[in-house]
Every structure is written in C-alpha cells, then in structure tokens.
Amino acid sequence: MFAGSPTKNPVSALFCLILALLLAGCAGSQSSDSGPVYTVKRGDTLYRIARSTGTSVRDLARLNNISAPYTIEVGQKLKVNGATAKKSSSKSSGKTAAVTPSYVVPKSSWPPVGQRCWVWPASGKVVMPYSTSEGGNKGIDIAGTRGAPVYASDAGKVVYVGNQLRGYGNLIMIKHGEDYITAYAHNDSMLVNNGQNVKAGQKIATMGSTGSNTVALHFQIRYRATAIDPVRYLPAQGSKPKC
C-alpha cells in the first residue's frame, strides 16, 4: 500500500517506506521532454499519486518499472498517463482544472468503527488532535510524564523500531493484519524488537521527548496507508473497548 521504486539499499528503502507512512504532503506534476512527469513530494504514496493524476496504480507501476513493496523517494520523477496529466494541468475558462489534494482524507472511505478493538496507547490529555488540513497533524499527541508506559493499541507484529525519521524520535510501528499500521513516536525507551508479536495493551515503550521539545506520545492509525482519526476509533478514555 505504500508507494515507491525498488532500491538495493534496505535502509534507504525502509526510510522511504516510513516517510510514506507518516508524513502527509502536497502533490505536483510537470511535463518533460519524455512526456508528463510527476515529482514525488514528501508524504506521497503510489495510491495518492494515482488519485491525484488519474493514472491507475497498475499503470504507474508499469510505466516506472516499480515492483512491490512500492517504495518511492522524495524528488523522484514518475511517468504518468499523458492524457490525464495534460487534463489535470490544462486550463478551462481561465482556471486550472481542480485536482483533489493528496492530504484530503474523505471520511466516507474510512473503515467502520468497531472493526478492530483499539485500546489507548497511553494515559494523558490529547494536546494536539488529528487534522485533515494541509500540513495538519495526521495522528494525535498525548501529553504525559517521562517514563510513563506506552502500550500497543492492538495485537500485531512490530515492523519497525528505530529513529531514522527526523522529527519522530524513537519510533515504533506495528502492523495489524493487512490493512492497519499504528505508529508510536517520541518514545524514551523502546521495549520491543522488530519482528516481535505483541498483544493489545502490551507495554512496548516509555514516553519521552525524542525528536520533540515536549514529553508526549505521537500516535497514528493508518488504514491502507491513509491516516485516520484515532479518537474516532478509540474507546472513551479510561474505558475498555466494547467490541
């Protein structure tokens, strides 16, 4: 579900995968001597580029010789469908044809509440809520004290433990089935290993301020690469999930 071109450097590939997962940005396309070209922006995925340019994911992969897991790099030039690209950049009645910004997350595409039994990853006040605005917060920030426990929001497999993504400090990512990934950023200590299976509510880290100026947990739920509002799916604070 995350876009990109293959690379022989596993660290670089992982970095691009995390970047596509955690950051949301704007998209842009341009033309070149070889035809319409899209320049990958921060936060892009192959699926978002497909939506914004009107080129199918299959065509994007074919045109650019991209194979799974579809990692792309910021600044990379991607060939897109010529007719669609021209249409999206053409002018009608003096106005540029509208293209839905990649940061817009329509709630109509979000999964139903209760599909999974999420638990709160930490105790504390939500000091920064989720936002669909351009450059807005793609998760929630939960304030707390240094060393406070951070819990897995659902059972799953740890797919990343590290601090290679600037601005997120010590980061843990957990995959839940085929459709969901949760992210836990700014941890002080990390108590799980890559590839480890965890249970819902299991302590995976302690709260910290790595990559941040304040002690807080930045938490995200991603559904098929789309950041969704965690508060919509979490139970009321202090209560257990009803599903």
Side-chain angles (χ1 to χ4, degrees):
M1 64 180 173
F2 313 118
S5 61
T7 174
K8 295 180 180 180
N9 187 332
V11 174
S12 176
L14 181 58
F15 181 86
C16 294
L17 174 61
I18 300 168
L19 195 64
L21 269 169
L22 294 178
L23 300 180
C26 301
S29 62
Q30 61 184 36
S31 62
S32 70
D33 293 338
S34 59
V37 172
Y38 180 98
T39 302
V40 178
K41 305 299 181 182
R42 187 175 68 175
D44 277 339
T45 69
L46 208 63
Y47 294 90
R48 285 177 178 171
I49 295 171
R51 287 202 305 269
S52 65
T53 65
T55 308
S56 69
V57 173
R58 178 179 297 180
D59 284 344
L60 281 174
R62 176 181 56 81
L63 288 169
N64 298 280
N65 194 29
I66 297 173
S67 57
Y70 305 131
T71 50
I72 55 177
E73 298 179 351
V74 173
Q76 181 179 346
K77 309 292 186 181
L78 296 179
K79 297 178 182 178
V80 296
N81 182 285
T84 305
K86 290 179 181 178
K87 180 179 179 181
S88 65
S89 61
S90 64
K91 293 184 178 181
S92 176
S93 302
K95 296 182 180 180
T96 303
V99 176
T100 303
S102 63
Y103 58 84
V104 172
V105 183
K107 291 186 178 181
S108 59
S109 67
W110 290 7
V113 175
Q115 191 175 75
R116 299 191 71 94
C117 293
W118 303 104
V119 299
W120 278 85
S123 298
K125 181 180 179 180
V126 176
V127 292
M128 185 175 292
Y130 170 91
S131 172
T132 57
S133 64
E134 181 177 2
N137 195 23
K138 297 312 170 194
I140 56 174
D141 290 8
I142 305 171
T145 58
R146 189 177 306 278
V150 174
Y151 305 106
S153 191
D154 195 6
K157 183 176 182 179
V158 179
V159 293
Y160 178 79
V161 177
N163 55 11
Q164 294 170 304
L165 186 58
R166 181 180 299 177
Y168 289 86
N170 291 333
L171 172 68
I172 295 173
M173 294 167 59
I174 301 175
K175 184 176 182 181
H176 313 274
E178 293 300 317
D179 293 330
Y180 293 92
I181 285 182
T182 52
Y184 312 75
H186 308 311
N187 302 300
D188 188 13
S189 60
M190 298 189 285
L191 308 177
V192 291
N193 300 311
N194 196 23
Q196 179 178 339
N197 291 316
V198 296
K199 298 178 181 179
Q202 179 177 333
K203 184 177 178 180
I204 59 173
T206 59
M207 195 177 292
S209 58
T210 55
S212 175
N213 295 323
T214 59
V215 176
L217 172 70
H218 175 72
F219 174 67
Q220 291 189 12
I221 298 178
R222 292 225 167 214
Y223 175 72
R224 297 179 181 175
T226 296
I228 56 180
D229 185 359
V231 173
R232 180 183 176 95
Y233 297 92
L234 291 167
Q237 281 189 300
S239 64
K240 295 182 178 180
K242 297 179 180 180
C243 52

